[in-house]
Amino acid sequence: MVVLDRLWNEINLSYKLSYLKKDSDIEFDFEEVVRQLCLGRILAPWSKAKTCRLAPVSYLGAKEENLFHYYNCLDLLSKNKDSVIKYLNKKLLEKNPQRDTRVCLYDITTYAFESVEADSLREFGYSKDKKFNEVQVEMALAADKDGLPISYNLYRGNQGESPTMVPFIEELKKTYGVENLIVVADKGLNNTANIHCLLELSNNYVLSSKIRSASREIKQAALDPTGRVERLVADGNGVLSKTWFKEIILETKVSYKYPDFAYENNNPEEKRKLEDKLKPYTTKYGNKRKKGTIKRRFIITFSEKRLIKDRIDRQRLIKKAERLVANPSNFSAELKKGGKSLVSVDIDKESLAVDYERISEQELFDGMHVIETSLKDPGEEVLDIYKRLWHIESNFRVLKSQLEGRPVYVRTENHIRGHFLCCYISLVISRLLEYKLRKRDTPIPIGKIVESLNGLRTTKIKLDRLPAIYATTGISE
């Protein structure tokens, strides 16, 4: 832990933690327990009990602590999540005054528990990890254009993705005094309500969408070669591939049901303030709706690399469809899985057939993707902004894999919230370390860094009449 202590001291989180401790009845070394939980999660993401037991004998600088202290500190962290995150952002800005948070990369994912007990936070829902038989929570995460985390929220496990984005963005603007943000998100958050509300709240957006679910006008433009801007792009190995993009602007009238926006903590007052800003109207049936006109800018893109992937993916689906048609009993078995088993469907098995006409239509759009934006920047710059979305996806991979944020073993709501704040702090430190190395032209992923750090062995050497010294082995390029 000694190596990571340098970053821990750089962001001076102990100062903030000591301030939180003053307003509590905690008597143990709160700052040290949080340090061991966060730095220990980077180096060895064990359970709380295992960290308490093994960290002092495995890592120089880790101290022996009572396991109850670990859980008690989660309670205090849970109550102070917002102030801790605000403090971290303040320190990140102090260390990097050029930090640009106007571009907000946003996404949401799920975290499963090895449990079937639902409560006020844990609930069954659509699992992105395919853990449909376990309760879960949802986590929304925002990062800047360099991948440094800005903030996160936790939601109940059955919360839909779409209603979380607009309130989250408004909270960020209010907390950090930002007039507007450029919100970058994937297709799961792209819908008329989010786009229209973001614009009415003076934000810009860069969102992706599927070409196959696009409007007739966009599909026609995609197949028309007129106006395409062709480029050759090199991949990480220097291999060139053909790409092109093409722009189309459509002015569309929109009408939609006013969303039931979701907040981390049920907050009627904030929900009312947002409604006052967006001003939905009420129909004679008592429903809240909004309508308006949006000038929508679409950038249709194509790449040979995506073309190859699309064809491979479809070929796999075609083979599966052909197997189902050849064995109708397998098709019936598919309909008996999950909630589908409770739906009565009368299907003539003899009529099953592969829809080759639909396959041919889909093939026309292989390699194509659609980006929608409100920005007026050149197309290449918009596409470069969208490409940064990989940072947020990478953050989730680090949280889930490297930091082993799931499965989650703590049970009470405060402990769950405290656990995720520790994971978030660990993510900030990990990303800050990677960012510093990139700035020095030595990009190394956190997994490799941890592998190297865990290979170090430090021994205390005490000679007669001389002060103790520490010898470290395992250092290599």
Side-chain angles (χ1 to χ4, degrees):
M1 289 186 181
V2 173
V3 176
L4 293 179
D5 266 339
R6 183 172 178 180
L7 278 176
W8 180 265
N9 294 331
E10 187 174 309
I11 59 177
N12 198 18
L13 191 55
S14 293
Y15 172 80
K16 177 65 178 178
L17 297 175
S18 65
Y19 182 81
L20 298 179
K21 180 182 175 182
K22 288 179 182 177
D23 293 334
S24 73
D25 57 0
I26 285 178
E27 296 182 356
F28 60 84
D29 192 345
F30 176 63
E31 302 96 294
E32 174 59 23
V33 173
V34 176
R35 184 185 77 91
Q36 289 186 185
L37 280 173
C38 296
L39 299 188
R41 182 149 294 275
I42 297 173
L43 294 170
W46 297 322
S47 67
K48 307 295 180 287
K50 191 172 181 180
T51 300
C52 180
R53 188 173 71 253
L54 295 183
V57 297
S58 302
Y59 293 103
L60 184 66
K63 301 177 182 178
E64 289 188 17
E65 293 290 344
N66 189 307
L67 180 58
F68 290 107
H69 296 168
Y70 277 61
Y71 291 113
N72 288 340
C73 91
L74 295 180
D75 290 322
L76 185 55
L77 286 173
S78 170
K79 297 173 185 176
N80 293 278
K81 170 218 166 194
D82 292 338
S83 65
V84 170
I85 292 177
K86 191 171 183 178
Y87 180 83
L88 286 172
N89 279 311
K90 175 186 174 184
K91 287 299 175 181
L92 289 176
L93 187 61
E94 285 178 3
K95 299 302 176 183
N96 180 21
Q98 288 76 40
R99 187 187 189 198
D100 184 1
T101 55
R102 291 174 300 170
V103 174
C104 175
L105 311 175
Y106 182 86
D107 204 355
I108 191 166
T109 193
T110 57
Y111 288 85
F113 293 69
E114 292 196 338
S115 171
V116 293
E117 296 180 13
D119 52 33
S120 58
L121 184 58
R122 301 179 298 172
E123 182 56 276
F124 294 98
Y126 178 79
S127 170
K128 296 195 175 184
D129 298 320
K130 309 302 180 187
K131 305 280 187 179
F132 297 111
N133 296 320
E134 298 175 357
V135 291
Q136 63 180 24
V137 298
E138 295 184 15
M139 180 192 219
L141 180 67
D144 65 21
K145 63 184 181 65
D146 292 309
L148 292 173
I150 301 173
S151 188
Y152 77 94
N153 276 348
L154 287 184
Y155 302 93
R156 200 151 187 246
N158 61 350
Q159 174 61 55
E161 292 184 13
S162 181
T164 66
M165 185 166 71
V166 172
F168 189 106
I169 297 303
E170 286 305 291
E171 286 175 18
L172 284 185
K173 289 165 61 178
K174 179 182 177 182
T175 301
Y176 300 107
V178 180
E179 290 291 328
N180 55 69
L181 290 171
I182 302 170
V183 184
V184 186
D186 221 333
K187 51 186 175 290
L189 294 151
N190 183 345
N191 59 44
T192 299
N194 276 343
I195 288 172
H196 191 234
C197 290
L198 284 174
L199 291 174
E200 290 211 331
L201 294 166
S202 302
N203 299 295
N204 283 297
Y205 63 87
V206 181
L207 304 173
S208 74
S209 62
K210 290 182 178 180
I211 183 70
R212 294 182 186 90
S213 58
S215 67
R216 179 174 52 84
E217 292 90 345
I218 294 174
K219 287 183 175 180
Q220 288 177 345
L223 297 176
D224 182 359
T226 306
R228 291 178 181 174
V229 179
E230 296 190 355
R231 301 187 297 173
L232 286 177
V233 177
D235 62 15
N237 298 318
V239 178
L240 295 176
S241 63
K242 177 185 174 184
T243 69
W244 56 258
F245 71 89
K246 176 181 178 177
E247 299 190 34
I248 176 174
I249 296 177
L250 300 174
E251 192 165 297
T252 59
K253 292 183 178 180
V254 297
S255 177
Y256 57 92
K257 179 183 176 182
Y258 183 72
D260 183 17
F261 288 121
Y263 289 79
E264 181 175 41
N265 300 304
N266 188 26
N267 194 328
E269 180 62 21
E270 288 301 318
K271 187 175 282 193
R272 184 191 61 76
K273 288 180 181 178
L274 183 58
E275 188 172 318
D276 289 344
K277 290 180 182 178
L278 292 171
K279 297 180 174 60
Y281 67 92
T282 304
T283 69
K284 63 180 181 180
Y285 301 107
N287 299 318
K288 293 179 182 179
R289 296 188 63 83
K290 280 186 67 63
K291 60 183 179 181
T293 302
I294 307 177
K295 191 174 184 179
R296 307 177 78 161
R297 179 189 179 194
F298 298 93
I299 303 177
I300 306 164
T301 69
F302 168 87
S303 75
E304 289 181 337
K305 191 174 181 179
R306 192 185 299 121
L307 170 73
I308 295 170
K309 180 182 182 301
D310 287 347
R311 288 182 175 173
I312 292 173
D313 290 345
R314 181 179 300 99
Q315 197 58 42
R316 186 178 67 252
L317 293 176
I318 291 173
K319 288 181 179 179
K320 181 177 180 180
E322 289 174 341
R323 285 196 300 269
L324 290 173
V325 169
N327 300 280
S329 59
N330 291 347
F331 184 79
S332 299
E334 287 287 324
L335 297 178
K336 293 179 181 179
K337 294 180 180 178
K340 294 186 288 246
S341 64
L342 304 178
V343 179
S344 177
V345 181
D346 186 15
I347 296 178
D348 178 10
K349 296 179 181 178
E350 300 300 321
S351 67
L352 294 179
V354 179
D355 190 345
Y356 290 105
E357 184 177 339
R358 187 176 183 183
I359 292 171
S360 297
E361 180 185 343
Q362 290 182 352
E363 287 175 344
L364 295 174
F365 301 99
D366 282 352
M368 296 186 195
H369 189 61
V370 179
I371 306 296
E372 181 176 352
T373 184
S374 59
L375 295 174
K376 295 180 172 60
D377 302 56
E380 292 97 330
E381 294 182 17
V382 173
L383 295 178
D384 286 341
I385 290 174
Y386 177 75
K387 286 177 182 176
R388 292 181 178 271
L389 196 58
W390 73 268
H391 282 300
I392 202 83
E393 296 163 354
S394 176
N395 278 337
F396 279 140
R397 282 195 297 273
V398 170
L399 277 168
K400 290 187 176 185
S401 300
Q402 183 66 40
L403 302 178
E404 294 187 18
R406 58 89 168 102
V408 187
Y409 297 104
V410 289
R411 294 184 296 106
T412 69
E413 182 170 336
N414 280 343
H415 287 174
I416 292 168
R417 293 187 182 279
H419 164 79
F420 277 103
L421 181 54
C422 286
C423 290
Y424 178 83
I425 294 170
S426 301
L427 177 67
V428 170
I429 294 171
S430 300
R431 287 314 197 199
L432 180 59
L433 181 54
E434 289 180 326
Y435 175 77
K436 285 176 170 290
L437 290 172
R438 283 202 307 272
K439 286 294 183 182
R440 297 181 180 181
D441 295 324
T442 53
I444 307 175
I446 188 63
K448 289 287 187 183
I449 296 171
V450 170
E451 186 180 320
S452 297
L453 291 178
N454 281 332
L456 300 178
R457 293 292 178 270
T458 302
T459 304
K460 184 178 180 179
I461 301 174
K462 182 72 172 75
L463 302 176
D464 290 342
R465 301 175 184 174
L466 292 174
I469 61 173
Y470 291 88
T472 301
T473 61
I475 299 176
S476 67
E477 293 186 16

